[in-house]
Amino acid sequence: MASTQRRGRAHAAWAVAGCAATFAAAALARRRERGPFPGERLLKGASAAGGLALAALTAVPAARHRTRGAAQLAARGAAAGLVQGGSHLLFDALTVALRRTAGTADPDAAEVALGRVAARCLALGSAALTLSAARWQAREGAPACPRCGRRARTAASRAPAWSGYAAGALSLPYPVVKLAWECGSDIGITRPEVIHAVPGGWLPVVPALAGSLLSLALVRPWGRVFPRWVPVVGGSRVPRPLVLVPSCFGLAVLAEVAPAALVAGVRYVNDPATPPVEEIGLRPWVPLMFYSSWVLWGVALAGAAWEYHRTTAGCPACARS
């Protein structure tokens, strides 16, 4: 118990330091750019909330279960906010890749604000530290496996496959249509000379297809145990963070993009002052299909990730015994 408390406090100290560094980096980035940037308020608020919640966890005795439970809930919520703010890194990377692919003559066009990138990277690291600290704090007073010291759990049923398969299917409309456009297809296009002239149109397909594989990994056996044909690690258990961390990042991206895009698309269609979608170069069903599938993909991915977490958490030796 004393060893668990010491390790829990050490994890909490590192997490608080990470939250403080994230807050400072976001403040410096705002000052350097002389104005707010996307996700700046979320980074500050989540880092401050995470630091306060972790400080409360280390100060409150283990006997006060309700107070510690509320602090753990606040810490996990702050970690989710940090992941949400750090998810802008994907758009930073796509912006740089697209501008470099375009071959622009402006040497500074492909640059991104380093202050923002640093704050977002620190946010993702702080989120991982915060979740780790909350997990260690939860172990105080909880039964543990005598072999490994991990939290014991009862045997859980296999995760329902429909959530992961649904997430994988819902992730496909965007990359499939985009790849069709790159191959010269005019499906859903009213102005081919505009859509086909967009440079680097295949780049957003890469993270979308990676999300498709990730959705299947949450429910397929190879998402829990490496296949035998994989060198070195074949037959061993897949580390949970290797699947859950990208899942949380993908959920953060979808939660930020999908609802806003769907609302903006509906407003655009219903606004008589805007030109018809056909004048932009697309059929009306194309953006509606993209944005709707993203929203539903996020819901299905959240369900699959939660089931993966539930069925793989704790000590597997305890579950078998």
Side-chain angles (χ1 to χ4, degrees):
M1 179 64 67
S3 175
T4 300
Q5 290 180 347
R6 288 194 299 268
R7 297 191 68 174
R9 291 180 181 274
H11 280 73
W14 280 106
V16 170
C19 290
T22 302
F23 188 95
L28 289 174
R30 178 189 176 105
R31 183 176 180 180
R32 182 176 182 180
E33 298 181 22
R34 299 180 180 180
F37 57 89
E40 180 251 341
R41 292 183 179 179
L42 181 60
L43 291 178
K44 287 184 176 179
S47 58
L52 292 175
L54 291 170
L57 275 176
T58 56
V60 175
R64 302 180 63 178
H65 301 291
R66 291 186 177 181
T67 304
R68 290 179 62 84
Q72 287 182 11
L73 183 62
R76 297 176 191 275
L82 289 170
V83 173
Q84 183 73 57
S87 64
H88 285 274
L89 282 174
L90 177 62
F91 306 108
D92 291 336
L94 286 176
T95 299
V96 173
L98 287 172
R99 291 183 179 178
R100 290 188 181 276
T101 304
T104 178
D106 186 0
D108 297 328
E111 300 297 331
V112 296
L114 296 181
R116 299 185 189 182
V117 173
R120 291 163 182 168
C121 290
L122 286 171
L124 295 177
S126 300
L129 292 173
T130 301
L131 289 175
S132 176
R135 185 169 59 250
W136 274 98
Q137 292 290 337
R139 292 183 182 181
E140 294 186 13
C145 173
R147 295 182 181 180
C148 63
R150 296 172 61 187
R151 179 171 57 86
R153 68 176 174 91
T154 58
S157 60
R158 181 176 176 179
W162 68 264
S163 56
Y165 289 128
L170 290 166
S171 67
L172 292 178
Y174 179 77
V176 168
V177 174
K178 290 283 287 184
L179 285 176
W181 291 347
E182 291 299 311
C183 294
S185 174
D186 294 337
I187 179 173
I189 297 177
T190 59
R191 300 179 63 186
E193 72 280 1
V194 175
I195 302 301
H196 293 320
V198 177
W202 58 271
L203 287 173
V205 173
V206 177
L209 291 179
S212 303
L213 291 176
L214 179 64
S215 301
L216 295 178
L218 291 169
V219 292
R220 295 297 299 165
W222 47 267
R224 289 166 170 76
V225 179
F226 287 109
R228 292 289 182 181
W229 53 265
V230 178
V232 182
V233 296
S236 60
R237 285 174 56 86
V238 175
R240 295 176 70 243
L242 190 64
V243 179
L244 287 177
V245 170
S247 299
C248 293
F249 184 83
L251 282 172
V253 173
L254 290 172
E256 180 177 355
V257 173
L262 184 59
V263 172
V266 172
R267 289 180 177 176
Y268 182 90
V269 173
N270 295 330
D271 188 358
T274 59
V277 180
E278 289 85 348
E279 294 187 11
I280 300 177
L282 298 175
R283 301 289 183 185
W285 61 266
V286 174
L288 179 61
M289 181 185 66
F290 285 169
Y291 305 153
S292 300
S293 65
W294 292 348
V295 172
L296 297 175
W297 179 18
V299 175
L301 183 61
W306 171 250
E307 288 297 330
Y308 183 92
H309 164 73
R310 186 182 66 84
T311 55
T312 58
C315 178
C318 293
R320 289 194 299 269
S321 61

